[in-house]
Amino acid sequence: MSEKTIQVNLSPERKPKPESNQLGFGKIFTDHMFVMDYTEGKGWHDPRVVPYQPLTLDPASMIFHYGQTVFEGLKAYLTNDNRILLFRPERNMQRLNRSNDRLCIPNIDEELALEALKKLILVDKEWIPTAEGTSLYIRPFIIATEPFLGVHASNSYQFIIILSPVGSYYKEGIQPVKILVESDYVRAVAGGTGEAKTAGNYASSLKAQEVASQKEYSQVLWLDGLEKKYIEEVGSMNVFFKIDGEVVTPALNGSILEGVTRNSVIHLLKHWGVPVSERKISMQEVYDAYKAGKLEEAFGTGTAAVISPVGEFFWKDEKLVINEGKTGEISKRLYQTITGIQNGTEQDPFDWVVEVHQEAVAK
Amino acid sequence: MSEKTIQVNLSPERKPKPESNQLGFGKIFTDHMFVMDYTEGKGWHDPRVVPYQPLTLDPASMIFHYGQTVFEGLKAYLTNDNRILLFRPERNMQRLNRSNDRLCIPNIDEELALEALKKLILVDKEWIPTAEGTSLYIRPFIIATEPFLGVHASNSYQFIIILSPVGSYYKEGIQPVKILVESDYVRAVAGGTGEAKTAGNYASSLKAQEVASQKEYSQVLWLDGLEKKYIEEVGSMNVFFKIDGEVVTPALNGSILEGVTRNSVIHLLKHWGVPVSERKISMQEVYDAYKAGKLEEAFGTGTAAVISPVGEFFWKDEKLVINEGKTGEISKRLYQTITGIQNGTEQDPFDWVVEVHQEAVAK
Ligand SMILES: Cc1ncc(COP(=O)(O)O)c(C=O)c1O
Ligand SMILES: Cc1ncc(COP(=O)(O)O)c(C=O)c1O
């Protein structure tokens, strides 16, 4: 038996499954998890599906002190004819390895990780919720486990995948959000870790998020850390603006995350013949377009909400109400098309979905 | 019995203690640890000294995903007449709470934390090494424990203190280090988390550290994230330059850590009548001073090494060899005075040391 064979150790007990209409986000976990260890000299080894269980870690483990960790987020969807679909999962594994590079974590075998993901999903397939808009959220993550109090790259790691059935993001139909443009706190700067999906980026965002919530804004829009002029991204979404017929999104600049949804949106817009450009865009430009009546739509893109229309930005004591606070046409079309491809009701012109076949993985 | 009474649960087993000359840094831990829990609505509760043991955490615990965590580092010293001394520990607890504020973690009771620290040290006092230059390193840290996959402040935390006997930083006498001035990667920027002692700052530094090590430099000197001109700090030390008779250190600017050693050095220099200023200082200024023969000394300050003289900076393909690569007079005097105060052989003019009294804590 190869070191790379995924062992499966089924849980003797099964937890009760929640009703599809009682699902929130990220609070309920399935019966199993995937674990694989890294040891210096040995590499990644012992990939296994095991009962969902607590991690037992020395209090000196480096994850608790120096934050050497990366993660991913994607979803599995159940189609009407009971097929299980993943949406461009290879991109998440590639991004995981890019994050690994930035955090000095040894690369994983992307194919093995994808196989592990599929195996785990099949073991827990009864957990994939069926109601419209629901899905199984997948969280792969890697943590540094060496018990050592010194700042250096760990010599041991764990790669773990956990699954959480999640409800529809929009229970009463797609709803525009209100967003605060952040002028004090900074999320990331070129040369930092903004491009990587690593814990510290999110920790540093909590304070700004707290301030925004107090003002009843659901998320913050980050500006660049150097001049606080150029638009970066929103909490856990990339951001797009439709200005005078053209869709604009900040170019990848080393400090924002390269979203899978962002990439898919750009592809679709081009496919539809909608002008789209990736470039530097300042908040002033957005403001000027707004004042000139040319800011037609704004929306965020990310795995959780797919498309999240922005109804209002708050910047320098002024409210910018977009499209009368209603969901725009492009936002709607993108949402319907992408969710349709994801759950198998729309055609998939770019071969984005990957089916999880029972047989292919079982052997 | 009050919720605030520190319970003590002694370990039935004791680990063998290492020889004083076999101590490294941060690899060996004592027989006990301190733990206290935070639950929303209940606050911090159940402070307790327990046997050193693994943490058991749900894999969805927020520490593994969003890096909401802070830590501290200080030391306990044994004097020749067997007294146990701490060096300005109240400053570490104050800084822990400043870090908590930035990371949206509920404040701890600083007095209780200090009492906990003392109690834990007394329980494990046999672990304080006695050889010259050795000490007991103390690592308080707080981690977010709520099992939830969403970016918000956790509703539960653990505050933990672990202890590690550590060897002398300079086994063969104080040795100057070689430092690479970092021009690509950025550690922190104003508005970010640089001022807080939080895991993500260290995670983001690993890559630059790796590059420096390959070039045989032991640490990196960070420049500001905006213009990459102004000096910030070194790995886990603040930095000082003696230029033409004046000692200069970067002012606290929101992106560097306020070191306890830094503050002590400034105090001592003023006390001695050595001119010292906290201000913005560019790498170009240091370079120009070097070229003019006026860069007399450079040194880092931090709990681990206390004073770490810099023998060489590498900047833009040029080596700046300082004081012929030898330890300077001010560095030497600061090192001797501070370590002397810490281990009780020098007078303590500012009441910096705090003695851990057996009786005071036992009741
Ligand atoms: C910071 C950040 N930006 C953007 C995104 C959107 O990326 P994706 O579309 O791959 O979910 C996410 C979520 O993953 C994120 O955390
Ligand atoms: C980033 C950083 N700067 C400076 C220091 C020095 O601080 P102190 O003198 O309190 O140890 C440390 C170590 O604690 C550190 O981690």
Side-chain angles (χ1 to χ4, degrees):
Chain A
M1 196 167 51
S2 136
E3 276 272 299
K4 299 271 156 160
T5 309
I6 300 168
Q7 299 300 304
V8 178
N9 169 11
L10 293 182
S11 173
E13 282 156 45
R14 301 302 158 108
K15 296 182 267 196
K17 293 179 187 63
E19 297 293 325
S20 261
N21 59 3
Q22 282 170 2
L23 294 168
F25 191 94
K27 285 190 183 292
I28 298 165
F29 300 91
T30 66
D31 289 315
H32 297 86
M33 63 202 263
F34 172 80
V35 184
M36 176 163 69
D37 300 307
Y38 179 91
T39 313
E40 204 161 82
K42 200 170 169 187
W44 288 106
H45 60 90
D46 289 310
R48 57 201 185 271
V49 171
V50 295
Y52 189 91
Q53 60 194 276
L55 305 180
T56 301
L57 292 165
D58 193 292
S61 297
M62 296 178 77
I63 176 64
F64 299 126
H65 305 272
Y66 308 118
Q68 200 194 5
T69 177
V70 296
F71 70 97
E72 270 303 326
L74 67 163
K75 288 174 172 176
Y77 310 83
L78 199 67
T79 66
N80 292 335
D81 56 349
N82 268 310
R83 292 176 304 129
I84 302 168
L85 302 182
L86 296 169
F87 184 71
R88 313 185 78 187
E90 67 290 349
R91 289 187 80 88
N92 294 91
M93 296 308 170
Q94 287 157 6
R95 188 169 66 188
L96 189 63
N97 269 341
R98 288 201 304 276
S99 299
N100 279 336
D101 288 340
R102 181 61 184 86
L103 274 296
C104 301
I105 298 174
N107 273 22
I108 52 148
D109 175 336
E110 294 170 19
E111 267 176 48
L112 176 67
L114 207 51
E115 203 201 319
L117 189 72
K118 291 176 179 173
K119 199 152 212 162
L120 177 63
I121 291 170
L122 285 176
V123 167
D124 276 341
K125 68 175 188 290
E126 306 294 323
W127 282 88
I128 310 178
T130 52
E132 180 168 351
T134 63
S135 57
L136 187 69
Y137 182 76
I138 302 162
R139 170 57 57 91
F141 63 108
I142 300 177
I143 55 174
T145 55
E146 184 185 351
F148 178 55
L149 298 186
V151 183
H152 77 175
S154 178
N155 63 22
S156 63
Y157 300 87
Q158 281 202 312
F159 173 53
I160 297 162
I161 307 177
I162 55 178
L163 306 175
S164 171
V166 298
S168 174
Y169 203 86
Y170 298 110
K171 290 214 180 59
E172 288 135 29
I174 184 168
Q175 288 290 343
V177 292
K178 290 166 65 185
I179 287 182
L180 180 86
V181 183
E182 178 58 47
S183 306
D184 296 323
Y185 295 105
V186 170
R187 176 186 173 272
V189 73
T193 54
E195 220 174 10
K197 212 162 158 68
T198 182
N201 294 339
Y202 299 84
S204 80
S205 77
L206 292 171
K207 192 84 191 182
Q209 184 67 47
E210 196 177 81
V211 174
S213 298
Q214 279 157 6
K215 297 185 179 156
E216 313 222 328
Y217 285 86
S218 67
Q219 305 224 33
V220 303
L221 178 70
W222 297 105
L223 300 181
D224 78 280
L226 302 189
E227 303 179 69
K228 305 229 175 91
K229 272 189 190 166
Y230 298 99
I231 290 167
E232 298 256 312
E233 59 184 329
V234 171
S236 47
M237 296 194 289
N238 296 106
V239 66
F240 288 74
F241 301 88
K242 182 159 169 262
I243 297 174
D244 202 15
E246 189 196 29
V247 178
V248 183
T249 192
L252 300 175
N253 60 358
S255 58
I256 67 173
L257 194 78
E258 182 174 355
V260 176
T261 322
R262 174 187 182 280
N263 179 282
S264 309
V265 162
I266 293 169
H267 261 277
L268 276 174
L269 291 173
K270 286 185 179 162
H271 185 61
W272 293 340
V274 177
V276 53
S277 79
E278 301 175 62
R279 62 170 169 85
K280 247 185 157 171
I281 175 167
S282 69
M283 193 57 212
Q284 189 64 47
E285 179 182 342
V286 169
Y287 181 81
D288 293 343
Y290 171 74
K291 283 289 174 191
K294 291 181 175 175
L295 179 58
E296 294 151 4
E297 288 188 42
F299 56 91
T301 67
T303 295
V306 186
I307 301 293
S308 188
V310 179
E312 180 186 320
F313 283 113
F314 188 75
W315 187 51
K316 294 189 174 170
D317 289 323
E318 202 168 332
K319 288 182 181 177
L320 284 59
V321 177
I322 299 158
N323 193 35
E324 296 170 356
K326 296 203 285 278
T327 302
E329 283 314 309
I330 285 281
S331 303
K332 230 179 269 171
R333 189 173 171 200
L334 284 166
Y335 180 76
Q336 273 155 10
T337 308
I338 297 176
T339 55
I341 294 173
Q342 287 171 337
N343 63 35
T345 56
E346 288 257 358
Q347 236 215 306
D348 174 21
F350 306 110
D351 273 335
W352 280 342
V353 299
V354 171
E355 191 172 337
V356 183
H357 292 286
Q358 182 96 39
E359 318 72 44
V361 196
K363 62 176 173 200
Chain B
M1 198 164 51
S2 136
E3 276 272 298
K4 299 271 156 161
T5 308
I6 300 168
Q7 299 299 304
V8 178
N9 171 9
L10 292 182
S11 173
E13 282 156 45
R14 301 301 158 108
K15 296 181 268 196
K17 294 180 186 62
E19 297 294 324
S20 261
N21 59 3
Q22 281 171 4
L23 295 167
F25 191 95
K27 284 192 184 291
I28 297 165
F29 300 91
T30 65
D31 289 315
H32 298 85
M33 62 202 264
F34 173 80
V35 185
M36 176 163 69
D37 300 307
Y38 179 91
T39 313
E40 203 161 81
K42 201 170 168 186
W44 287 107
H45 60 90
D46 290 310
R48 56 202 186 272
V49 171
V50 295
Y52 189 90
Q53 61 194 277
L55 305 180
T56 301
L57 292 165
D58 193 290
S61 297
M62 296 177 78
I63 176 64
F64 299 127
H65 306 272
Y66 308 118
Q68 200 193 6
T69 177
V70 295
F71 71 97
E72 269 304 326
L74 66 163
K75 287 175 172 175
Y77 310 84
L78 200 66
T79 66
N80 292 335
D81 55 348
N82 268 310
R83 291 177 304 129
I84 302 168
L85 302 182
L86 296 170
F87 184 71
R88 311 183 80 188
E90 67 289 349
R91 289 188 79 90
N92 293 91
M93 295 310 170
Q94 287 158 7
R95 188 169 66 186
L96 189 62
N97 269 341
R98 289 201 303 277
S99 298
N100 279 336
D101 287 340
R102 180 63 183 84
L103 274 297
C104 301
I105 296 175
N107 273 23
I108 51 148
D109 175 335
E110 293 169 21
E111 267 176 47
L112 176 67
L114 207 51
E115 202 200 319
L117 189 72
K118 291 176 180 173
K119 200 153 212 161
L120 177 63
I121 290 171
L122 285 176
V123 166
D124 276 342
K125 68 175 187 290
E126 307 294 322
W127 283 88
I128 310 177
T130 52
E132 179 168 351
T134 62
S135 57
L136 188 68
Y137 183 76
I138 303 161
R139 170 57 59 88
F141 63 108
I142 301 178
I143 55 174
T145 55
E146 183 185 353
F148 177 56
L149 298 185
V151 184
H152 78 174
S154 178
N155 63 21
S156 62
Y157 301 87
Q158 281 203 313
F159 173 52
I160 297 162
I161 307 176
I162 55 178
L163 305 175
S164 172
V166 297
S168 173
Y169 203 85
Y170 298 110
K171 289 213 182 60
E172 287 136 30
I174 183 167
Q175 288 290 341
V177 294
K178 289 166 65 186
I179 287 184
L180 180 86
V181 182
E182 177 59 48
S183 306
D184 296 323
Y185 294 105
V186 170
R187 176 185 172 272
V189 74
T193 54
E195 220 174 8
K197 212 163 160 67
T198 182
N201 294 338
Y202 300 83
S204 81
S205 77
L206 292 171
K207 191 85 190 180
Q209 183 67 48
E210 196 177 81
V211 174
S213 299
Q214 279 157 8
K215 296 184 180 155
E216 312 220 330
Y217 286 86
S218 68
Q219 304 223 34
V220 304
L221 177 71
W222 297 106
L223 301 181
D224 78 280
L226 302 190
E227 303 178 70
K228 305 225 175 94
K229 272 189 191 168
Y230 298 100
I231 290 167
E232 298 256 311
E233 59 185 328
V234 171
S236 46
M237 296 193 289
N238 296 107
V239 66
F240 288 75
F241 302 87
K242 181 158 168 262
I243 297 175
D244 202 13
E246 189 196 30
V247 178
V248 182
T249 191
L252 301 174
N253 59 358
S255 58
I256 67 172
L257 194 78
E258 182 175 355
V260 176
T261 322
R262 175 186 181 281
N263 180 281
S264 309
V265 162
I266 293 169
H267 261 277
L268 276 175
L269 291 174
K270 286 186 180 162
H271 185 61
W272 294 339
V274 176
V276 53
S277 78
E278 301 175 63
R279 62 170 170 86
K280 246 183 158 173
I281 174 168
S282 69
M283 193 56 212
Q284 188 65 47
E285 180 183 341
V286 170
Y287 181 81
D288 292 344
Y290 170 75
K291 282 289 175 191
K294 291 181 175 174
L295 179 58
E296 295 152 3
E297 288 188 42
F299 55 92
T301 67
T303 295
V306 187
I307 301 293
S308 189
V310 179
E312 180 185 321
F313 284 113
F314 187 74
W315 187 50
K316 294 190 174 167
D317 290 322
E318 201 168 332
K319 288 182 182 179
L320 285 59
V321 177
I322 300 159
N323 193 33
E324 297 171 357
K326 297 204 283 279
T327 303
E329 284 313 310
I330 285 280
S331 303
K332 231 178 269 172
R333 186 171 173 202
L334 284 167
Y335 180 76
Q336 273 156 9
T337 308
I338 298 176
T339 55
I341 294 173
Q342 288 170 337
N343 63 36
T345 56
E346 288 257 357
Q347 236 215 307
D348 175 20
F350 307 109
D351 272 336
W352 279 342
V353 299
V354 171
E355 191 173 337
V356 183
H357 292 286
Q358 182 95 36
E359 318 71 44
V361 196
K363 60 176 173 196

